[in-house]
């Protein structure tokens, strides 16, 4: 196995990771970004962003290509599609082993992001890929003139429901309360959209079908009334859970698993920083992820400099 040494290794090639890569490389420290997938992170699956300053409207995939090109400009080394087998954040140097390489690094910046939460109902696992999808941009086109349900009331649920109306004949938004959590501007667009029907105060109990999804069982949490609605697809967007599988026992996290940091993005371990959606942050946006990346990388570089002073 090839051993590679860096001053900083960034886990995750999304907006937080690329921003950190740029700032670290500009701080003249050797920098690598490792990703378990192709580079780009969650925004690569967004159709369009309209709240990244100076971009007005940009495709999520295009924006992430720009992030990547910008990190390339400063010579950040990239390792996509890495299967991580082992992470030791406490040792010195810190060690990350993948199937192909052993990375040794003075600092680690965790930018692994988050993944969609599951509903946890009967039929969800069974019909995933056969009517249950967590990515409207990836699968929306399969639902031309069909009826779909989106579950949740946050930005993701409402934005993706609006996107699905490009294909589907009807989109139900099933929300457990009678008020949406999504930003007001997004709510207004959904309320105006004639293809969207809201099912308030309701939760999904089961996803049913023969071979693929054909209906879902729901109940109203206020009246307890149960019913079934015919749908061809269901898109749960009920929040996210952090990608922390490799460091769970090593680092301090909140009750939902998000990594705790101070204002410099430092975690409970010296030389380890967490940035973007994986950390306990009040706002999860591309701009806040990028901002976290700048702060975390600058403080990682300062930490590397203190190590040099100790060795001299
Ligand atoms: P979120 O904001 O946490 O919303 C999750 C929604 O799912 C909430 O409406 C919640 O209901 C509901 N929910 C949670 N658990 C549920 C369950 N077990 N059963 C049924 N419903 C459940 O998550 P998100 O929409 O995925 O967004 C994640 C983060 O990314 C947020 O910070 C969001 O603002 C950000 N984001 C931003 C944009 C944008 O700015 N354009 C786009 C996408 C995401 P309650 O409301 O009752 O809690």
């Amino acid at each position: 196995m090839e051993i590679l040494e860096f001053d900083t290794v960034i886990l995750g090639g999304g907006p937080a990771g690329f921003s950190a890569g740029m700032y670290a490389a500009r701080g003249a420290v050797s920098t690598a970004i490792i990703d378990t997938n192709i580079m780009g992170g969650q925004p690569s699956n967004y159709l369009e962003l309209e709240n990244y300053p100076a971009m007005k409207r940009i495709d999520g995939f295009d924006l992430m290509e720009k992030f990547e090109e910008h990190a390339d400009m400063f010579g950040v080394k990239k390792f996509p599609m890495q299967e991580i087998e082992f992470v030791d954040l406490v040792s010195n140097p810190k060690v990350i082993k993948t199937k192909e390489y052993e990375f040794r690094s003075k600092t680690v910046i965790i930018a692994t992001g988050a993944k969609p939460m599951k509903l946890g109902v009967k039929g969800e696992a069974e019909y995933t890929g056969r009517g249950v999808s967590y990515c409207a941009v990836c699968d929306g086109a399969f639902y031309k003139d069909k009826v779909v349900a989106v579950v949740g009331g946050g930005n993701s649920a409402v934005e993706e429901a609006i996107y699905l109306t490009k294909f589907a004949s009807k989109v139900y938004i099933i929300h457990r309360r009678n008020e949406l959590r999504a930003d007001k501007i997004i709510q207004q667009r959904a309320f105006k959209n004639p293809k969207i029907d809201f099912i308030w105060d309701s939760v999904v109990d089961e996803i049913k079908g023969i071979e693929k999804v054909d209906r879902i069982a729901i109940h109203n949490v206020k009246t307890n009334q149960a019913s079934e609605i015919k749908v061809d697809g269901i898109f749960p967007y009920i929040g996210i859970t952090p990608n922390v599988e490799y460091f769970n026992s090593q680092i301090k996290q909140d009750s939902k698993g998000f990594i705790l940091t101070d204002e410099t993005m430092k975690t409970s371990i010296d030389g380890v920083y967490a940035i973007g959606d994986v950390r306990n942050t009040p706002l999860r946006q591309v701009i806040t992820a990028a901002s976290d990346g700048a702060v975390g990388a600058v403080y990682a570089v300062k930490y590397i400099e203190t190590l040099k002073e100790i060795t001299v």
Side-chain angles (χ1 to χ4, degrees), residues 10 12-26 29 31-33 39 63-78:
I10 297 161
F18 277 125
S19 162
M22 284 169 47
Y23 273 80
R26 282 191 82 243
V29 302
T31 306
I33 301 181
M39 298 279 167
L63 180 64
M64 291 323 299
E65 261 190 354
K66 287 183 190 292
F67 268 66
E68 187 167 355
E69 282 164 15
H70 208 157
D72 289 344
M73 190 174 111
F74 297 112
V76 175
K77 299 270 182 301
K78 294 176 295 183

Side-chain angles (χ1 to χ4, degrees), residues 52-193:
Y52 195 81
M55 289 299 175
K56 291 185 187 162
R57 277 215 166 86
I58 185 161
D59 188 286
F61 188 85
D62 293 345
L63 180 64
M64 291 323 299
E65 261 190 354
K66 287 183 190 292
F67 268 66
E68 187 167 355
E69 282 164 15
H70 208 157
D72 289 344
M73 190 174 111
F74 297 112
V76 175
K77 299 270 182 301
K78 294 176 295 183
F79 298 88
M81 307 303 290
Q82 292 297 307
E83 216 172 298
I84 294 176
E85 293 187 326
F86 171 83
V87 175
D88 187 347
L89 296 174
V90 184
S91 61
N92 191 11
K94 299 166 194 317
V95 176
I96 296 138
K97 284 186 189 164
T98 71
K99 269 219 151 97
E100 289 171 72
Y101 304 104
E102 178 173 322
F103 295 87
R104 294 181 186 172
S105 184
K106 292 177 185 142
T107 57
V108 171
I109 302 179
I110 302 170
T112 46
K115 58 178 168 291
M117 266 165 48
K118 302 272 159 72
L119 289 168
V121 298
K122 197 167 167 223
E124 184 177 24
E126 186 184 345
Y127 292 112
T128 294
R130 289 186 295 143
V132 178
S133 167
Y134 304 89
C135 180
V137 174
C138 319
D139 297 331
F142 296 125
Y143 295 92
K144 191 158 176 11
D145 300 324
K146 307 245 176 183
V147 177
V148 297
V150 170
V151 188
N155 278 326
S156 299
V158 182
E159 282 189 347
E160 303 301 321
I162 294 168
Y163 172 69
L164 285 165
T165 62
K166 292 183 186 221
F167 310 98
S169 55
K170 181 188 279 231
V171 178
Y172 292 108
I173 294 183
I174 302 170
H175 184 35
R176 64 182 178 182
R177 292 188 290 137
N178 62 1
E179 204 183 339
L180 297 173
R181 178 184 289 278
D183 296 346
K184 287 284 180 280
I185 188 169
I186 297 166
Q187 294 193 24
Q188 283 161 9
R189 284 178 200 157
F191 291 138
K192 268 196 238 154
N193 192 311

